[in-house]
Amino acid sequence: MSLFQRLNQRFESWVVSRHKPQAPPVTIRRGRCYILPTRPGYVFALMLLAMLLGAMNYSNSLAFALTFLLGGMGMVAMHHTNANLLKLNVHVPRIPSVHAGDPVWVPVQFSHSTQKTRYSVLCGLKRSALSADSAVDCEADENVLSGFEIPAQPRGVYRVPRFTVATEFPLGLFQAWSWITLSSEYLVYPKPAAHTRPIPPVAGERGKRSGAQRGRDDFSHLRDYQYGDAPRTIHWKRYGHTGRLTVKTFADPMDESLWLDWASLPDLIDPEQRLSQLCRWVLDAEAGYQAYGLRLPGVELKPSRGAAHRQQCLEQLARFGTPGGTT
């Protein structure tokens, strides 16, 4: 690591220690905005220095005028670069959860209430890795969405890492930036296991296998008449056609509730493997329109289905064993 990199690392550590995580949105103030020349800016400064030395050596008034004119333009550009970032509101909406092994996309929303349009605003994890392709312009009273990607991470609950909001507008001679540290969190669900284990058998409310029980709601089938059957259950229309007495039977469907239980996987010693298998079953049960419940140590989610229930189950799997989650 070079001396410049060490100094830059120490400077960043000092700045980070001054700013505690905040709840979004965050407004960039003067005390949080920093500015330094870019590489073209350093070249520009060296060129001005060479022009100044040449003007002094030859006592050329025109060279002095041109040098000071360019220097003044550089100072004005620095002012506009800094002003382009000040009073900009930075907000991180809800971060879509992903499964382990997938990158996380962090949406970043910019807005401001001033009358001046903010041009070429960038955001990213590292200041040195900002790409001009992701630059956005933000009009007054307008919400503009940008974002950056976080590499794949293991299952768990994560806080949004410190990221950079920067601009080099208008001339690219200076870069103004601010580090944003938010208290927002996002979830990384377990990676779904392969389709190697069938989904557990469905059980009714009393623990029996799924099926139907005698009832009065839904027609089930026809059977031959037996002595003692009520006349109102006889299928008289069929009797008129066939001359054979048959009886309509009815059934009430049993509650086909599926329990996805942590304890049903004793052969999987690794907790992450169990969570991955439960994650696979949650996805499969939801895809099959099956009501399902989830049982983890200390957690029981009653059978249900739908996007909200699926998300609740996956969230419990993501939080399992994490600080603030289940154990």
Side-chain angles (χ1 to χ4, degrees), residues 35-48 69-82 127 167-177:
I35 186 167
L36 280 176
T38 59
R39 287 187 178 181
Y42 283 116
V43 174
F44 181 74
L46 289 176
M47 183 191 70
L48 287 181
L69 176 63
L70 292 177
M73 291 176 61
M75 298 300 291
V76 172
M78 183 178 67
H79 169 74
H80 281 280
T81 302
N82 190 58
R127 191 163 64 94
T167 183
E168 296 179 3
F169 178 82
L171 300 181
L173 299 179
F174 296 90
Q175 184 187 65
W177 80 94

Side-chain angles (χ1 to χ4, degrees), residues 52-311:
L52 180 61
L53 293 177
M56 294 172 63
N57 187 43
Y58 294 102
S59 299
N60 190 315
S61 301
L62 187 59
F64 274 117
L66 181 60
T67 302
F68 292 138
L69 176 63
L70 292 177
M73 291 176 61
M75 298 300 291
V76 172
M78 183 178 67
H79 169 74
H80 281 280
T81 302
N82 190 58
N84 195 48
L85 209 60
L86 292 179
K87 298 182 181 179
L88 188 67
N89 299 320
V90 183
H91 179 57
V92 174
R94 183 180 176 277
I95 301 173
S97 300
V98 299
H99 292 279
D102 296 332
V104 180
W105 176 255
V106 179
V108 180
Q109 182 176 289
F110 299 114
S111 64
H112 65 93
S113 57
T114 61
Q115 297 300 319
K116 187 178 176 182
T117 302
R118 310 304 174 88
Y119 297 97
S120 300
V121 180
L122 307 165
C123 65
L125 276 179
K126 295 183 179 179
R127 191 163 64 94
S128 58
L130 296 175
S131 172
D133 297 336
S134 61
V136 295
D137 299 336
C138 185
E139 301 281 350
D141 298 324
E142 183 184 43
N143 293 323
V144 177
L145 196 62
S146 183
F148 59 91
E149 190 175 272
I150 299 176
Q153 296 170 295
R155 176 195 67 86
V157 183
Y158 296 89
R159 177 173 291 174
V160 176
R162 173 174 55 89
F163 62 94
T164 304
V165 176
T167 183
E168 296 179 3
F169 178 82
L171 300 181
L173 299 179
F174 296 90
Q175 184 187 65
W177 80 94
S178 180
W179 283 303
I180 307 297
T181 307
L182 300 178
S183 56
S184 304
E185 293 182 340
Y186 61 93
L187 300 175
V188 177
Y189 302 146
K191 183 177 182 179
H195 292 85
T196 54
R197 291 172 182 261
I199 204 163
V202 177
E205 285 182 338
R206 298 177 182 176
K208 300 177 181 178
R209 296 184 63 84
S210 63
Q213 56 187 358
R214 295 189 61 181
R216 297 179 297 179
D217 294 335
D218 297 333
F219 173 76
S220 176
H221 60 280
L222 293 174
R223 63 171 174 80
D224 292 334
Y225 173 81
Q226 296 177 359
Y227 178 77
D229 287 335
R232 59 183 175 81
T233 62
I234 298 175
H235 199 314
W236 295 109
K237 186 179 291 185
R238 183 180 178 85
Y239 174 74
H241 290 288
T242 63
R244 179 183 174 188
L245 284 175
T246 53
V247 174
K248 294 181 285 188
T249 59
F250 295 83
D252 292 337
M254 291 180 64
D255 180 21
E256 296 184 347
S257 300
L258 171 66
W259 280 103
L260 309 179
D261 198 338
W262 168 275
S264 67
L265 298 167
D267 56 321
L268 295 180
I269 301 176
D270 186 358
E272 294 300 327
Q273 290 183 351
R274 288 196 187 191
L275 294 172
S276 294
Q277 186 59 59
L278 291 173
C279 179
R280 164 55 59 195
W281 285 345
V282 167
L283 299 179
D284 290 348
E286 187 65 37
Y289 303 101
Q290 176 73 54
Y292 56 95
L294 178 65
R295 286 190 181 122
L296 295 173
V299 175
E300 181 174 303
L301 299 179
K302 293 183 178 179
S304 183
R305 63 186 177 192
H309 182 64
R310 170 181 171 275
Q311 182 177 346

